[in-house]
């Protein structure tokens, strides 16, 4: 069982930046990781993903502004968010999928979320 804890959310003005962190209790290098978000009254949507092999994928709405990365020794995943817009306001969730060890069950893990508010 992998526990994920997000941090780094807060209030930021349009055009500003934030870096979200996701600290994992497990071996993050063996898992595919990603970030999702849910705005008020909307469904949860994909934001960014980073595979175990280093491939990245981004939602069109954040391409060129957000960057996903990981620090394997620290078992931490990051989401650098630049040029923030009011429509980026949402609760951001960290996700990890896969098997920590060859005999581990396949897991799909979620953090509790961190709120990002973009407003002047």
């Amino acid at each position: 069982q992998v526990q994920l804890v997000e941090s780094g959310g807060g209030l930021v003005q349009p055009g500003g930046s934030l870096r979200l962190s996701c600290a994992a209790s497990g071996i993050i290098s063996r898992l595919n990781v990603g970030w999702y978000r849910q705005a008020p009254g909307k469904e949860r949507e994909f934001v960014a993903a980073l595979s175990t092999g280093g491939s990245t994928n981004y939602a069109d709405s954040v391409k060129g502004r957000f960057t996903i990365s990981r620090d394997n020794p620290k078992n931490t995943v990051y989401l650098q968010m630049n040029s923030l817009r009011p429509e980026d306001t949402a609760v951001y969730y960290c996700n990890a999928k896969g098997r920590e060890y060859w005999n581990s069950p396949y897991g799909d893990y979620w953090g509790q979320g961190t709120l990002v508010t973009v407003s002047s």
Side-chain angles (χ1 to χ4, degrees), residues 66-106:
F66 291 11
T67 303
I68 186 172
S69 62
R70 74 169 96 205
D71 185 330
N72 289 335
K74 294 184 178 180
N75 284 318
T76 301
V77 182
Y78 302 101
L79 185 68
Q80 178 67 44
M81 305 186 295
N82 299 327
S83 303
L84 283 162
R85 305 167 181 168
E87 54 264 39
D88 294 318
T89 295
V91 177
Y92 283 72
Y93 297 90
C94 180
N95 174 254
K97 297 183 177 68
R99 304 176 192 275
E100 281 191 273
Y101 305 97
W102 68 272
N103 58 347
S104 299
Y106 183 89

Side-chain angles (χ1 to χ4, degrees), residues 14-49:
S17 297
L18 277 178
R19 188 178 78 159
L20 305 183
S21 299
C22 172
S25 63
I27 305 174
I28 206 72
S29 62
R30 298 180 180 175
L31 305 174
N32 295 310
V33 295
W35 289 92
Y36 291 73
R37 67 186 181 186
Q38 187 168 17
K42 295 187 176 181
E43 294 187 354
R44 190 173 298 189
E45 64 176 6
F46 167 78
V47 175

